[in-house]
Amino acid sequence: MPQDHLAASSPLAEHARLAAFAGEWNGEEVVFPSRWTAGGPATSHVVARMDLNGFYLIQDSVQMRDGKQIFASHGIFTYDRDDRTYKLFWYDSLGYTPPSPASGGWVGKTLTLVRGSLRGNARHVYEIIDDNSYSLKIQFSPDAEGWADVLTGVYRRIH
């Protein structure tokens, strides 16, 4: 009998680790002044789920400032078993198409993912605080050496 080449493999423990970010979250954020926006406080509502047979964390976020939606993002996280790194495919309301996903890994309770483009480099640092909260720091660098904060936030699970 021929082998079914479309048969799915099973998610690995590395995929399952992303479930720490699954759920519904409210975030308190600080947006730093940048070429994209003025700085100031913001809030975000984040909804994330494990999907597609457990291989992906799909995350949607809406950011509010002064009672208005000013930013939204759609992130797809996974573990790449070929190069043994985590990947983040990031799309947002600024409309730039990333040339490639961010890539990185865990050190302890911190997941760091970095991506480059013609505009510069972005680094996302997610740290699990406990079962019901995590922090995020998004940074930018023109040369991937000197990093400047773009956003910091703490997100609490909605029960």
Side-chain angles (χ1 to χ4, degrees):
M1 179 170 224
Q3 182 180 0
D4 183 357
H5 292 287
L6 295 179
S9 57
S10 296
L12 303 172
E14 288 86 353
H15 293 102
R17 192 164 186 193
L18 292 168
F21 301 111
E24 190 172 358
W25 310 82
N26 280 329
E28 298 291 327
E29 300 173 328
V30 174
V31 178
F32 292 82
S34 70
R35 61 184 177 186
W36 301 284
T37 187
T43 60
S44 278
H45 182 78
V46 180
V47 177
R49 70 187 188 282
M50 294 300 293
D51 209 340
L52 302 171
N53 294 331
F55 286 102
Y56 299 92
L57 174 76
I58 300 173
Q59 179 190 72
D60 291 298
S61 178
V62 174
Q63 185 183 74
M64 306 288 288
R65 289 178 70 186
D66 299 322
K68 298 178 197 155
Q69 178 180 324
I70 61 151
F71 186 76
S73 66
H74 180 75
I76 302 170
F77 299 72
T78 192
Y79 177 74
D80 186 332
R81 65 181 81 223
D82 291 334
D83 72 4
R84 297 185 176 137
T85 61
Y86 285 86
K87 303 292 185 190
L88 168 57
F89 298 84
W90 178 270
Y91 305 92
D92 61 40
S93 57
L94 295 177
Y96 297 113
T97 301
S100 61
S103 187
W106 290 90
V107 174
K109 293 183 173 189
T110 303
L111 174 62
T112 302
L113 302 150
V114 179
R115 75 176 181 280
S117 74
L118 295 176
R119 292 178 313 284
N121 302 279
R123 178 166 66 184
H124 294 229
V125 181
Y126 296 84
E127 183 174 2
I128 297 171
I129 298 168
D130 57 37
D131 290 346
N132 293 305
S133 58
Y134 70 91
S135 66
L136 168 62
K137 183 186 303 185
I138 298 177
Q139 299 174 307
F140 177 79
S141 171
D143 58 10
E145 290 185 17
W147 294 96
D149 289 344
V150 173
L151 176 140
T152 60
V154 174
Y155 306 82
R156 291 178 178 76
R157 187 180 302 279
I158 299 170
H159 292 284

